[in-house]
Amino acid sequence: MKIGIYPGSFDPVTKGHLDIIERSAKMVDKLFVAVLNNNAKSPLFSVDERVNMLCEVTKDIPNVQIDAFSGLLVDYAKRRNATIIIRGLRAVTDFEYELQMSQTNRIMDENVDTIFLTTSLQYAYLCSSTVKEVALCGGEVGKFVPEYVVEKIKEKVSLLNAGE
Ligand code: ADP
């Protein structure tokens, strides 16, 4: 059984992430999409909210399971018996960091390999932080994220505005 992990912040999940999830789910028997609980970043959505959005937008893909983890990715991979890490590559700017991370992970655990999927062209520009910026400035994000996530972003932005 081939088990893969697609880790990330997913703050929030975009159509670019979803494209990588759909494509990589076809390459493995089971895919864990794992939200990294990273204290260093100050996210817009909590880990639970990000997990909930991912569950909703992937509910029709049977071999995908949504999860959260903290600590080392290779340790999480071991706990899940996963041997494949999936990452998406958008542009050369992603490459250097991703190369370094995948080599570090491989040195820490030689049983885990990273596979890179190049982004579909229509999502090459897309990243969560831009989506957040647009939304916080009152822009439409329906072209960037699934409909369910559009609604969650609207709720979050109006909560933030009410607190101002
Ligand atoms: P972001 O950079 O959008 O904050 P994450 O940290 O959640 O994204 O990224 C998780 C993984 O998804 C990374 O491998 C990242 O390169 C990839 N990814 C993010 N956006 C896209 C996209 N539009 N197309 C392909 N891969 C993507």
Side-chain angles (χ1 to χ4, degrees), residues 6-20 23 41 86-90 94 98 116-120 122-130 132:
Y6 178 34
S9 308
F10 306 108
D11 185 39
V13 55
T14 68
K15 289 185 180 179
H17 293 132
L18 197 52
D19 173 62
I20 298 287
R23 288 159 60 201
K41 284 191 179 176
I86 308 283
R87 296 289 286 174
L89 277 183
R90 283 163 291 195
D94 282 340
E98 293 291 344
F116 296 103
L117 295 187
T118 49
T119 176
S120 294
Q122 73 264 39
Y123 304 127
Y125 65 92
L126 191 51
C127 71
S128 297
S129 49
T130 311
K132 284 184 277 190

Side-chain angles (χ1 to χ4, degrees), residues 8-15 17-18 21-22 33-35 43-61 64-68 128 131-132 135 141 144-157:
S9 308
F10 306 108
D11 185 39
V13 55
T14 68
K15 289 185 180 179
H17 293 132
L18 197 52
I21 293 171
E22 284 165 353
V33 179
V35 177
L44 182 64
F45 291 96
S46 70
V47 169
D48 285 350
E49 288 170 327
R50 285 180 266 159
V51 164
N52 163 269
M53 286 184 276
L54 278 162
C55 284
E56 186 61 34
V57 302
T58 61
K59 64 181 180 212
D60 294 331
I61 318 173
V64 166
Q65 188 175 323
I66 311 302
D67 201 3
S128 297
V131 173
K132 284 184 277 190
V141 292
F144 311 138
V145 298
E147 193 47 44
Y148 181 80
V149 179
V150 173
E151 293 311 313
K152 293 290 157 191
I153 291 177
K154 277 185 191 157
E155 286 170 22
K156 182 66 82 179
V157 170

Side-chain angles (χ1 to χ4, degrees), residues 57-118:
V57 302
T58 61
K59 64 181 180 212
D60 294 331
I61 318 173
N63 63 335
V64 166
Q65 188 175 323
I66 311 302
D67 201 3
F69 76 104
S70 45
L72 286 179
L73 179 57
V74 285
D75 289 341
Y76 171 69
K78 211 173 277 167
R79 291 201 292 281
R80 286 299 191 188
N81 289 321
T83 52
I84 298 170
I85 294 168
I86 308 283
R87 296 289 286 174
L89 277 183
R90 283 163 291 195
V92 271
T93 41
D94 282 340
F95 182 76
E96 223 169 308
Y97 172 75
E98 293 291 344
L99 181 69
Q100 194 200 11
M101 277 308 300
S102 69
Q103 287 170 336
T104 308
N105 284 333
R106 185 137 175 79
I107 284 173
M108 286 194 288
D109 187 345
E110 61 182 12
N111 297 312
V112 180
D113 254 314
T114 304
I115 291 179
F116 296 103
L117 295 187
T118 49

